[in-house]
Amino acid sequence: MFELRYKELSSAPVSSPLRFIFAACKGYRRFFVSEVFYGFFNSLFKILVPVIFSAMIEYFSHISPAEFSWRRALMYLGGILGVFLLTNGLRFFREMANESWRNMIAWRVQEYALTYAAGHSAAYLKEQKSGQLAQRIFALSTSCYRQMLSFSRISSCFWLIVLTLFFIGRASFWFLVPIMGFGLLSVLLSIKISRRTTELNKTCAEEQAKFGGEVVDALSNILLIKMFGQERQENAKLQKDMECANNAEIYAVKSQLILNGLQAGVIMMFKICGIFLALYLWKNGVVSVADVVLVLLLLEDVLKYFERFLYDVTLLRTNLGKLDDSLKFLRVPHEIVNAPNAQPLKLRKGKIEFRDVSFGYTAQKKIFNRFSLTIESGEKIGIVGRSGSGKSTLINLLQRNYDISDGEILIDGQNISQVTLHSLRQALAVMAQDSQLFHRTIRKNIAFGSPEASERQIYAAAKKAYADGFIKEAPHGYLTITGERGVKLSGGQRQRIAVARTLLKKAPILILDEATSALDNETENEVMAAISELMKNRTVIAIAHRLSTLKEMDRIIVLDKGKIVEEGTPQTLLDKQGKFAKLWKLQQA
């Protein structure tokens, strides 16, 4: 879904934060143009207030009380009120429009980042801390939003400064030169110091992301921590990480405060010199009282605008450091991608072939070397072997969680490396030892694989999975929240919900990866009854340490060091008295 809506981000240059933001704004750049015009007129109306006030002072300073006109006074006051209303009305509509497009761009960046992260291979995701990755995704959208907000503020300040200098220059050119000199000095000073601030904020973002990852890791394993009585050790570890993040933030804030102090000092000198110059020029008759009033009013404003402009420029550079850190995971290319011109998988029967497959997690050590295996449509295969024999690797290769170095894996004659990843994974239903559930209702967890399923289909799947009974006894029935990772349910209940979910998916190829190994014997029998329903009319690959769960398999494959050492029906292998029989006897003892 996201690839279509946000396809322009797929080619965004992630090496440059500013260029990435520019790419993210595609389709919304007209708002940047309108922002420039909004900023100009809003600034013009805002500056007209002191201009009208100065004109009023000029008029009344040249008349006597007897010549005073309430009509003229009300005209000036009405002009000030009208400009005030126009300014605030324009600002309201401007902010409403700007907030909308800023949020839209931030959302599209966040959704794209989430999609990109999900597109990484299983190997990459296993190496990452989910909390740290999530924090970077949120920080990316937040930084983009803040950059665009800074742009809006800088645009407004720019026009305010330009228009203020224009009206000051009209009053007296002598005011304009020193003001521009001080302004240029302030900008150069801010840019120089903000470079250091940018680096410190980048470091701060890295430490905060690391700390966030540690917190999520600890929370997700809180029961394990309690089980081993390691609360103090984990608290000490988190405290150390928090101190690192806190120190990095303190250094960044300290740098920012120093910069703000220097800017404030320059601006104060600017103000004192401006007032002194105004008094000097008035004393020598170069400017009038009205000009002095106008310059002093605008001078106070232009100092604020300069200060705000410098602050936003600094903030823009500061956010660049955080944005650069957030872009790190987008710079890591996807390990598993669709081949050029990949076509959807066209399923006919569900036949699977491994042809001369070679694969190893490292180049030095291969798990499979010219491995071949054919699984006919509708055949139920059990795969057994000691740990490290290649069982889990085999099904990972079928799901294309890793790419093989040589050979082919075919489904109905189609090489899985040449079909789209989405269509491949739609054709596979996987049940693992630890059935993962979302922190959602039981109903939503069952319907996850088939969101369009009707209530009737969901209930039917739950009944076939022997889950309907305990679901109805739950506090809110099908609307009961399962808890994070299904923590509120027993292992057998989670597995039966997983069976119901897989039944609804109706994928023609079923993979069972130690689906009952974590259950007690009684619960295992109940879940196996549900799995028997699940296996009907599907091609099945089942991995099990409990060999008794493979009695219904058509064929057993015994792996050892990536090679098939035995194969046949369960009874044939038992009669053969080979490796399978030996493993069977060990479990019966």
Side-chain angles (χ1 to χ4, degrees), residues 268-400:
M268 178 53 67
M269 290 296 296
F270 184 17
K271 184 184 294 187
I272 293 172
C273 292
I275 294 172
F276 177 83
L277 181 62
L279 293 173
Y280 176 81
L281 293 174
W282 172 76
K283 181 179 180 298
N284 288 279
V286 177
V287 295
S288 66
V289 172
D291 289 334
V292 171
V293 170
L294 175 62
V295 169
L296 290 180
L297 286 174
L298 292 179
L299 183 63
E300 185 67 27
D301 285 337
V302 80
L303 292 173
K304 293 178 183 176
Y305 305 150
F306 262 122
E307 189 173 8
R308 195 187 308 168
F309 180 80
L310 296 174
Y311 172 78
D312 286 317
V313 168
T314 304
L315 189 63
L316 190 74
R317 292 185 61 85
T318 297
N319 281 330
L320 282 178
K322 294 182 178 180
L323 182 59
D324 189 62
D325 177 73
S326 300
L327 287 170
K328 280 185 175 179
F329 75 97
L330 290 179
R331 292 172 184 152
V332 180
H334 287 153
E335 302 82 1
I336 309 295
V337 296
N338 285 324
N341 303 317
Q343 299 297 316
L345 178 66
K346 296 178 181 178
L347 279 165
R348 295 184 289 272
K349 297 180 180 179
K351 181 180 178 181
I352 302 170
E353 297 174 83
F354 293 83
R355 291 183 183 173
D356 296 326
V357 170
S358 296
F359 172 78
Y361 293 106
T362 63
Q364 294 75 24
K365 187 177 180 180
K366 286 190 175 182
I367 305 295
F368 295 109
N369 187 23
R370 299 185 65 81
F371 175 87
S372 295
L373 172 66
T374 299
I375 304 171
E376 297 295 338
S377 172
E379 189 178 14
K380 297 171 179 57
I381 297 293
I383 300 178
V384 300
R386 298 181 184 276
S387 296
S389 60
K391 304 184 301 296
S392 295
T393 301
L394 194 67
I395 61 174
N396 273 318
L397 295 179
L398 180 60
Q399 296 174 78
R400 210 182 160 208

Side-chain angles (χ1 to χ4, degrees), residues 100-161:
S100 175
W101 66 262
R102 282 196 294 261
N103 279 319
M104 286 299 298
I105 293 172
W107 289 338
R108 77 168 3 175
V109 167
Q110 182 170 302
E111 291 184 350
Y112 169 72
L114 180 60
T115 306
Y116 190 88
H120 277 299
S121 68
Y124 174 84
L125 294 174
K126 286 177 182 177
E127 293 293 326
Q128 306 303 310
K129 289 181 178 177
S130 56
Q132 187 171 354
L133 195 57
Q135 185 153 334
R136 281 206 165 106
I137 291 172
F138 294 138
L140 180 62
S141 63
T142 302
S143 296
C144 286
Y145 176 88
R146 287 176 178 171
Q147 289 296 87
M148 291 177 289
L149 185 60
S150 294
F151 171 81
S152 295
R153 290 174 175 172
I154 288 171
S155 174
S156 296
C157 288
F158 171 78
W159 284 121
L160 284 168
I161 291 170

Side-chain angles (χ1 to χ4, degrees), residues 106-231:
W107 289 338
R108 77 168 3 175
V109 167
Q110 182 170 302
E111 291 184 350
Y112 169 72
L114 180 60
T115 306
Y116 190 88
H120 277 299
S121 68
Y124 174 84
L125 294 174
K126 286 177 182 177
E127 293 293 326
Q128 306 303 310
K129 289 181 178 177
S130 56
Q132 187 171 354
L133 195 57
Q135 185 153 334
R136 281 206 165 106
I137 291 172
F138 294 138
L140 180 62
S141 63
T142 302
S143 296
C144 286
Y145 176 88
R146 287 176 178 171
Q147 289 296 87
M148 291 177 289
L149 185 60
S150 294
F151 171 81
S152 295
R153 290 174 175 172
I154 288 171
S155 174
S156 296
C157 288
F158 171 78
W159 284 121
L160 284 168
I161 291 170
V162 169
L163 290 170
T164 302
L165 291 176
F166 171 75
F167 283 104
I168 288 176
R170 282 190 65 193
S172 174
F173 179 77
W174 293 105
F175 286 114
L176 191 60
V177 176
I179 288 174
M180 292 184 67
F182 272 106
L184 182 60
L185 176 64
S186 299
V187 171
L188 293 175
L189 183 66
S190 298
I191 291 174
K192 184 175 181 179
I193 299 177
S194 65
R195 289 174 182 170
R196 171 65 176 163
T197 307
T198 300
E199 290 302 317
L200 288 174
N201 275 278
K202 182 179 178 180
T203 303
C204 178
E206 290 175 353
E207 291 296 334
Q208 287 177 342
K210 180 182 176 182
F211 175 62
E214 293 291 346
V215 170
V216 172
D217 189 41
L219 288 174
S220 61
N221 292 286
I222 192 68
L223 296 179
L224 181 65
I225 293 170
K226 290 179 178 292
M227 190 187 305
F228 281 83
Q230 295 295 310
E231 292 93 338

